[in-house]
Amino acid sequence: MLFETFAAGGCRSYLLGCETSCAAVLIDPELSLTDRYRGRLNQHGLTLRYIVDTHTHADHFSASLALRKAFGAPVAMHRLSAAPFADVRLDDGEMLIAGTLKLTAMHTPGHTHDSMCLVMNDRVFTGDTLLIGGTGRTDLPTGDPHQLFDSLFGKLLKLPGETLVFPAHDYKDRGHSTIADEIRTNPRLQKTDRAAFVEMMHALNLAAPTHLTEALRTNMSGGKTVGQLLSEAACGVPFLSMSELGSRLGGNSRDLIVIDLREKDDYDMGHIEGALHLPRGQLELRVNSELPDPTMRIVTCCEYGKISVLAAATLRDLGFMRATALDGGIAAWREAGFPLEPSR
């Protein structure tokens, strides 16, 4: 069996490959690693048969939908998952088979109601149910400490002690553990009384994940992240460097319109010479009156160079095919020593 672990911060995902059939399974893929997964699959000549999310993630962005579109492989989740794009909905004890790979779903609610572990031969992929030296939290949507207690002590920890544990997060830099090691050393598993365990989980008082709302929104619905919107827009928009724009201002600017998308107060404090003030929120409503010539060359700019990319993409969609975005924003322009002029 081919086996590889991928890391993105504290997140862990796993690629399993059957050497006989070249079938592969990818567990808990992270969106920022999409190209790395693609590269490994191609490198090893593997065909992706299943993409599995062990639960609805609230702390990172799943790559499942993007990989499904790229490879045509079905997404497998527990049957209680809210994700509309899940093709295979697993119940407790059901199995995925890809060549010689056989993974059995073990429903382990607690961290989320759709949490499951995947048991395969000598190992178990525990998602966020059991971590190395910890467990998944239970204070996020659909979490329940009582269910987690039952999932751990009633199911997962009854696996053979030598079973290797591969979680969806690793904050100990250990890569993997075993069921026996966790029973012996994991502080949270020392609370074997239900009431004591539940009290401990309620008292954790953990900070909310950085991307909680966006992660839940995208992972539950299949919607796009802000990063995906920016990336997709950037693929269809050319950029103009600050030095190139600087050289074209003044006497050479007749064939060029600079659009400043910021709000009025920011624009008035200082803007690029001759820039037209057109706030992003008014762009579509005023574009016909402010930009009567669709053949003009346009450069969009904003404070940090992100809204300008979306605006340039919108202008191109509207037929302004020479719309470009400034590489960097007004903040970078200012830091580079290029001049800004205040409104009079």
Side-chain angles (χ1 to χ4, degrees):
M1 179 183 71
L2 294 169
F3 180 72
E4 184 168 356
T5 301
F6 296 82
C11 299
R12 295 293 183 269
S13 51
Y14 305 95
L15 177 64
L16 316 176
C18 169
E19 294 180 287
T20 302
S21 66
C22 292
V25 177
L26 187 56
I27 300 173
D28 286 330
E30 209 276 343
L31 188 60
S32 67
L33 300 178
T34 300
D35 288 338
R36 287 187 59 194
Y37 302 134
R38 189 195 308 269
R40 285 297 189 273
L41 289 164
N42 291 336
Q43 179 183 354
H44 295 297
L46 297 172
T47 299
L48 191 58
R49 294 301 185 197
Y50 290 106
I51 307 155
V52 188
D53 269 324
T54 56
H55 62 288
T56 301
H57 300 283
D59 49 8
H60 72 268
F61 306 120
S62 171
S64 291
L65 183 56
L67 292 168
R68 174 180 181 249
K69 292 177 179 177
F71 293 99
V75 174
M77 299 186 72
H78 187 265
R79 67 176 180 83
L80 294 179
S81 168
F85 53 84
D87 305 289
V88 180
R89 294 183 176 273
L90 296 169
D91 216 329
D92 193 52
E94 294 180 345
M95 186 165 53
L96 296 176
I97 299 178
T100 59
L101 305 174
K102 296 182 178 182
L103 297 97
T104 301
M106 177 188 289
H107 187 210
T108 53
H111 174 62
T112 63
H113 71 161
D114 65 341
S115 288
M116 66 178 179
C117 298
L118 298 169
V119 183
M120 187 186 73
N121 297 330
D122 64 342
R123 62 197 64 197
V124 58
F125 300 94
T126 58
D128 281 14
T129 299
L130 176 62
L131 307 178
I132 298 175
T135 66
R137 60 197 295 170
T138 58
D139 59 333
L140 299 179
T142 76
D144 186 319
H146 290 277
Q147 287 187 335
L148 183 61
F149 179 87
D150 291 334
S151 294
L152 289 168
F153 293 100
K155 300 180 76 170
L156 184 57
L157 299 180
K158 291 187 176 182
L159 291 174
E162 64 272 17
T163 303
L164 301 174
V165 173
F166 291 93
H169 294 277
D170 175 22
Y171 304 110
K172 306 291 184 179
D173 293 324
R174 289 176 53 190
H176 67 274
S177 181
T178 66
I179 292 292
D181 285 343
E182 292 308 308
I183 291 175
R184 186 176 66 256
T185 65
N186 191 320
R188 294 191 189 175
L189 301 184
Q190 308 314 304
K191 303 288 187 181
T192 57
D193 174 74
R194 176 187 294 273
F197 181 87
V198 170
E199 182 182 7
M200 172 189 65
M201 297 304 296
H202 280 313
L204 290 178
N205 194 28
L206 301 172
T210 304
H211 304 291
L212 173 63
T213 300
E214 188 177 16
L216 285 175
R217 171 179 60 79
T218 57
N219 293 336
M220 292 178 68
S221 68
K224 295 179 180 179
T225 68
V226 173
Q228 283 178 297
L229 286 176
L230 289 169
S231 178
E232 291 173 7
C235 286
V237 171
F239 293 84
L240 200 66
S241 70
M242 291 185 289
S243 59
E244 183 68 20
L245 177 58
S247 70
R248 291 176 177 271
L249 296 176
N252 297 323
S253 63
R254 293 182 180 179
D255 67 337
L256 184 70
I257 297 176
V258 178
I259 297 180
D260 192 317
L261 301 156
R262 298 175 299 162
E263 295 303 316
K264 187 176 186 302
D265 288 347
D266 293 325
Y267 174 84
D268 287 344
M269 287 180 63
H271 53 266
I272 294 173
E273 177 188 352
L276 170 67
H277 182 223
L278 186 51
R280 177 64 187 92
Q282 301 177 26
L283 181 64
E284 290 85 351
L285 300 178
R286 293 172 52 189
V287 68
N288 292 326
S289 59
E290 299 288 350
L291 302 171
D293 183 356
T295 68
M296 286 291 292
R297 191 175 189 182
I298 299 169
V299 181
T300 59
C301 62
C302 62
E303 187 67 17
Y304 298 109
K306 294 183 178 180
I307 294 174
S308 56
V309 177
L310 296 173
T314 297
L315 287 170
R316 288 194 162 234
D317 287 341
L318 292 172
F320 295 87
M321 302 313 296
R322 298 184 70 195
T324 64
L326 179 64
D327 182 21
I330 297 299
W333 176 276
R334 186 185 301 113
E335 290 174 7
F338 290 97
L340 293 171
E341 59 180 27
S343 297
R344 293 181 176 82

